[in-house]
Amino acid sequence: MSAGPMLRIADALFLIGHDEFTGKPHSSLDRFESALAGAALAELLFDGRIAVDNNSVACLDPRPWNEALTDLVIAELQGRGNKHSVKVWVRYLREVHQIRERVGGRLTHTGIVRREEGGMLRRVVRWPATDPNEAARPRVVLAANLRATNAPIDLQTATLATLADVGGLRGVIALERATGDRIDDCRRQLPAPLAALLTGIASAVDAATITVRR
C-alpha cells in the first residue's frame, strides 16, 4: 500500500467511520457526527486558525482559504463570537450544517467516495468508496501505528485515534487490548488545547446520546 496523499483529520475520520464497500457508518450517527464536527475544529486548531481556552472556541485567523468546509467554520466562528463552548459548536456543526454531508462532499470532490441516497420510508445516505483500498488506508495506517507500541505517535495521529474512540470506533481500529490501551495513552498525552477540545466533544456526544434515548 503506497503512502498516498495526506488526508485532513476530518476526512480520515470519515473514512474510518464508514464501511468502504457499503458506505454505512460503523457507529451510531449521533456519536460519529459529534466526533466528526470535533475533527473539523481540530483541523483549525492544528492550522493555528482557532484557539480553545477554558472550553471556549476563539477565532484567531478569519481569512478565507478557498476550502469550503474550512471557510464555513471560520466564517461561523467569526460571525458568532468567541464565547461559545466546544460542546455548543459541535452540536451546531452537526445539526445545523450537517457535518457528515460537508465532509462527505469534500471526499466526493476528491473522488475517494461517492454519495448514494435511498430509502422508501426515510432518507438513507451512504458513502461507498470508489477505491476501497484507498478508503481503507486511514484505518489500516492508524491501527498499525497503534500496534507499534515501541514507536512514538505524532500529535495528529494521537488526535485522530482519540476522535475515533470518542466517535464509537474503538472496535474498528483496536482489536487487541494493548491497542486500546494505546488509545487511552494518546488521550492522556494531548496538550491542553486538544484535551479541552476532546472533553467538549465527549460532552456533546453524551448530550446527543441522552437526547436520542429520550
Side-chain angles (χ1 to χ4, degrees):
M1 185 176 286
S2 61
M6 179 68 74
L7 289 171
R8 303 279 280 171
I9 292 176
D11 293 346
L13 183 64
F14 186 99
L15 293 175
I16 292 169
H18 290 84
D19 183 274
E20 58 265 32
F21 297 102
T22 67
K24 295 180 180 179
H26 287 302
S27 67
S28 64
L29 283 180
D30 55 297
R31 290 195 63 155
F32 176 65
E33 289 176 350
S34 294
L36 197 60
L41 294 172
E43 291 181 359
L44 298 176
L45 193 57
F46 275 104
D47 291 339
R49 308 292 305 279
I50 66 171
V52 178
D53 185 28
N54 293 325
N55 196 36
S56 294
V57 182
C59 179
L60 301 178
D61 182 357
R63 295 173 298 173
W65 278 16
N66 295 320
E67 195 284 300
L69 178 57
T70 298
D71 291 349
L72 168 69
V73 178
I74 285 293
E76 289 286 4
L77 287 165
Q78 181 71 3
R80 295 180 181 275
N82 298 333
K83 297 181 180 180
H84 299 295
S85 68
V86 172
K87 178 181 176 180
V88 168
W89 278 115
V90 166
R91 180 177 179 180
Y92 185 73
L93 293 175
R94 178 172 63 86
E95 294 182 357
V96 176
H97 285 296
Q98 298 182 321
I99 190 65
R100 185 167 169 248
E101 287 283 342
R102 299 283 181 174
V103 180
R106 189 161 73 177
L107 286 166
T108 300
H109 182 72
T110 61
I112 297 178
V113 300
R114 65 182 184 274
R115 185 183 187 279
E116 294 182 352
E117 184 173 338
M120 295 183 63
L121 299 179
R122 65 185 182 92
R123 189 185 71 152
V124 176
V125 177
R126 298 178 181 176
W127 304 86
T130 56
D131 181 346
N133 289 331
E134 189 68 26
R137 187 189 307 278
R139 183 185 72 248
V140 172
V141 171
L142 179 58
N145 285 333
L146 291 170
R147 284 195 301 269
T149 55
N150 294 324
I153 291 183
D154 66 86
L155 191 53
Q156 291 204 32
T157 300
T159 302
L160 177 60
T162 309
L163 285 164
D165 187 32
V166 171
L169 301 171
R170 178 176 288 223
V172 176
I173 59 174
L175 300 180
E176 306 92 356
R177 180 175 178 179
T179 310
D181 292 342
R182 195 90 190 275
I183 296 174
D184 295 332
D185 290 339
C186 286
R187 184 162 187 174
R188 285 191 289 267
Q189 294 169 10
L190 292 178
L194 282 168
L197 180 66
L198 265 296
T199 297
I201 297 166
S203 179
V205 167
D206 291 341
T209 303
I210 292 172
T211 300
V212 170
R213 286 177 180 172
R214 287 177 180 173

